Amino acid sequence: MDIIKRNFFRLLRSGALNEYEDLEPMSAFKWGRMFEMIKAQGVSDIAMKGLKNHTFDANANIPRPLVDELATATSSSTSSNALPQLSNRFLNKRLKKIQSSERHQMDASMTTLDLLNIIVRNVELILNRGISLKGIAELGSFLRTRGDKVDFVKLENWLSHLHIERMAQLQGSILIEVFEFEPAEIPFVKKVEKQAYALTLRTLTHTEEDSAKEWHFRQSKTGFVQNNSAQLRRNLRRSIRYIDYAPLETASNFVNNFAKNLSEIEE
């Protein structure tokens, strides 16, 4: 891992987990590259918290204009409080039942449900954009601050029922391999996924832009339907990359996105 990525993850650990490790001095060019990485990954708010923790670092020769620019990006960021969903309609029906009925159970654990929702939201992000470091950092922060109140037996039953055990395990493995968590902190990780580290670095090297503004299909002036073959190939490669972790959900996600973009062709 190069110096830019090392400092990047130190800032994330500091901002999300309050873990402090000295930043390494870099050139203005490399700081600029790292700040672009921060914005591309949507972790400006976490990075700003980390920067505050490193205000008095002797080696933190961070150019002030970059900090000001990041602060502006942070103040303009928004987040969604909508409940996460699964693409597979049968699995999503199960998820909705869990989300709606848990509060009425004798052994209700809303903290456990909150954790499930974070994991499911990360599944959405992973399948549509690649590893979400913002989502993984949120998962890590939740485990560190509220993990002692989680019913992990119940959580694992839900994950199994939704067929996303390995996808959850992948997320936990990233916390272990990249964010330096201890395996004991994440009971739903039975085995560290071998590709966790490589997939995380890949998401930094090949940052995938928000595909919402990209077209998959469109109708030309002559009436013929054109497709964005590069975007389709990217979505297919992503699906293949993650299909072993959640076969049903990954396949459903690809098919749903394909159908959705077909339906959005301008008439």
Side-chain angles (χ1 to χ4, degrees), residues 10 33 40-41 60 71 111 116 123 132 137 165 183 192 198 211 219 244 246 252:
R10 285 172 185 173
R33 288 285 301 275
Q41 292 298 320
T111 301
L116 175 69
V123 172
S132 167
E165 312 102 298
V192 175
S211 61
Q219 195 169 28
D244 286 344
S252 296

Side-chain angles (χ1 to χ4, degrees), residues 165-189:
E165 312 102 298
R166 278 199 67 192
M167 192 64 91
Q169 183 164 266
L170 174 63
Q171 296 174 38
S173 297
I174 293 171
L175 288 175
I176 293 169
E177 294 288 278
V178 180
F179 287 83
E180 301 182 2
F181 271 60
E182 293 295 329
E185 296 180 84
I186 319 173
F188 57 83
V189 174

Side-chain angles (χ1 to χ4, degrees), residues 102-155:
E102 177 60 17
R103 70 182 68 253
H104 304 297
Q105 302 300 315
M106 292 291 292
D107 62 342
S109 173
M110 301 311 293
T111 301
T112 306
L113 182 60
D114 288 342
L115 179 54
L116 175 69
N117 284 332
I118 291 173
I119 292 172
V120 174
R121 187 173 294 110
N122 279 338
V123 172
E124 284 186 88
L125 292 169
I126 288 170
L127 294 181
N128 288 297
R129 302 182 189 180
I131 300 295
S132 167
L133 291 172
K134 183 179 180 66
I136 298 298
E138 181 186 5
L139 175 63
S141 177
F142 188 97
L143 288 169
R144 283 279 171 86
T145 58
R146 300 175 64 189
D148 60 327
K149 297 178 177 63
V150 172
D151 182 338
F152 284 101
V153 173
K154 177 176 286 192
L155 176 69

Side-chain angles (χ1 to χ4, degrees), residues 168-215:
Q169 183 164 266
L170 174 63
Q171 296 174 38
S173 297
I174 293 171
L175 288 175
I176 293 169
E177 294 288 278
V178 180
F179 287 83
E180 301 182 2
F181 271 60
E182 293 295 329
E185 296 180 84
I186 319 173
F188 57 83
V189 174
K190 306 304 179 186
K191 177 183 177 183
V192 175
E193 296 288 350
K194 294 180 180 179
Q195 292 298 311
Y197 185 81
L199 287 171
T200 304
L201 292 189
R202 187 185 189 285
T203 205
L204 293 180
T205 307
H206 305 279
T207 299
E208 300 183 48
E209 296 181 355
D210 185 353
S211 61
K213 296 181 181 178
E214 298 182 17
W215 59 275

Side-chain angles (χ1 to χ4, degrees), residues 217-247:
F217 299 90
R218 69 183 178 193
Q219 195 169 28
S220 68
K221 293 181 180 179
T222 59
F224 290 101
V225 174
Q226 301 173 322
N227 72 80
N228 184 339
S229 57
Q231 179 66 18
L232 284 173
R233 286 196 300 271
R234 184 158 57 243
N235 287 348
L236 180 58
R237 285 196 298 269
R238 189 190 309 115
S239 296
I240 292 172
R241 193 177 305 128
Y242 294 107
I243 197 161
D244 286 344
Y245 299 101

